[in-house]
């Protein structure tokens, strides 16, 4: 894990857009083609900003689930609401960049917008750039899979966050 993990993401919305693309792709792959909504993306961003969460999540198996991660390391939810509120502006900026770059498509529907990862892979230039940031990509993929398996109210409850 890089020492400047949080700074890397906060100062690089393009990197966060790639992480959110991976979260959305994994969500769709594990959720029968459904797309994550804005709430999923903000919760995911708040966890991806937190180096300890990334380190724990990336080391787990896809089948483990969010409940196991939080029961193994309950301090991952400490400060979750504050992290979530701080993550919102950067998450929105990264989603906007992802939509403008055409790696993510915003879809309207009932309630909050959802975000579809376009393509089965990121463009080659972005895939090449992600080699040094593997832990974040792995964590984003696991979060997408875990979020797809649980309803949003359960995810919010486990994370102890309110909107």
């Amino acid at each position: 894990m890089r020492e400047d993990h949080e700074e890397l993401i906060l100062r690089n919305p393009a990197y966060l857009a790639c992480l959110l693309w991976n979260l959305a792709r994994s969500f769709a792959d594990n959720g029968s083609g459904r797309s994550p909504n804005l709430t999923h993306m903000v919760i995911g961003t708040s966890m991806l900003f937190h180096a300890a969460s990334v380190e724990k999540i990336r080391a787990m198996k896809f089948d483990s689930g969010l409940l196991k991660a939080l029961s193994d390391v309950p301090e991952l939810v400490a400060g979750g609401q504050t992290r979530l509120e701080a993550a919102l502006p950067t998450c929105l900026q990264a989603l906007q960049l992802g939509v403008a770059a055409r790696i993510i498509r915003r879809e309207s529907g009932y309630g909050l917008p959802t975000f579809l990862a376009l393509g089965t892979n990121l463009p080659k230039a972005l895939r090449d750039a992600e080699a040094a940031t593997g832990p974040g990509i792995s964590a984003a993929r696991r979060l997408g899979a875990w979020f797809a398996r649980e309803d949003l109210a359960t995810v919010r409850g486990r994370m102890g966050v309110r909107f």
Side-chain angles (χ1 to χ4, degrees):
M1 177 65 61
R2 292 175 55 137
E3 291 178 19
D4 64 344
H5 174 80
E6 288 89 352
E7 185 174 333
L8 171 73
I9 296 173
L10 290 172
R11 297 188 189 274
N12 189 348
Y15 172 58
L16 181 56
C18 291
L19 292 180
L20 294 177
W21 181 91
N22 278 283
L23 188 152
R25 167 61 43 217
S26 182
F27 190 102
D29 290 346
N30 292 278
S32 303
R34 294 179 298 127
S35 300
N37 73 24
L38 181 59
T39 306
H40 290 110
M41 296 302 218
V42 176
I43 292 172
T45 297
S46 71
M47 296 181 80
L48 294 168
F49 274 7
H50 190 237
S53 294
V54 169
E55 193 60 36
K56 175 61 182 171
I57 292 166
R58 73 153 191 93
M60 296 186 71
K61 296 181 181 184
F62 274 88
D63 294 336
S64 298
L66 184 60
L67 180 61
K68 175 138 177 48
L70 297 177
S71 64
D72 287 356
V73 187
E75 59 269 17
L76 293 182
V77 297
Q81 184 70 37
T82 303
R83 284 197 324 259
L84 183 131
E85 291 169 8
L88 180 61
T90 309
C91 178
L92 294 174
Q93 185 179 25
L95 287 170
Q96 185 176 21
L97 181 62
V99 169
R102 297 189 176 142
I103 61 171
I104 298 172
R105 183 173 65 221
R106 180 186 178 274
E107 299 182 325
S108 299
Y110 179 75
L112 293 170
T114 61
F115 296 90
L116 176 68
L118 297 176
T120 54
N121 287 309
L122 284 169
K124 184 170 177 10
L126 294 175
R127 283 196 318 269
D128 292 345
E130 74 183 47
T133 57
I137 301 295
S138 297
R141 288 178 181 159
R142 281 163 182 73
L143 284 174
W146 297 349
F147 288 173
R149 293 185 194 132
E150 298 185 18
D151 64 73
L152 187 54
T154 303
V155 171
R156 285 184 14 230
R158 290 194 178 160
M159 293 301 302
V161 295
R162 295 181 315 207
F163 285 85

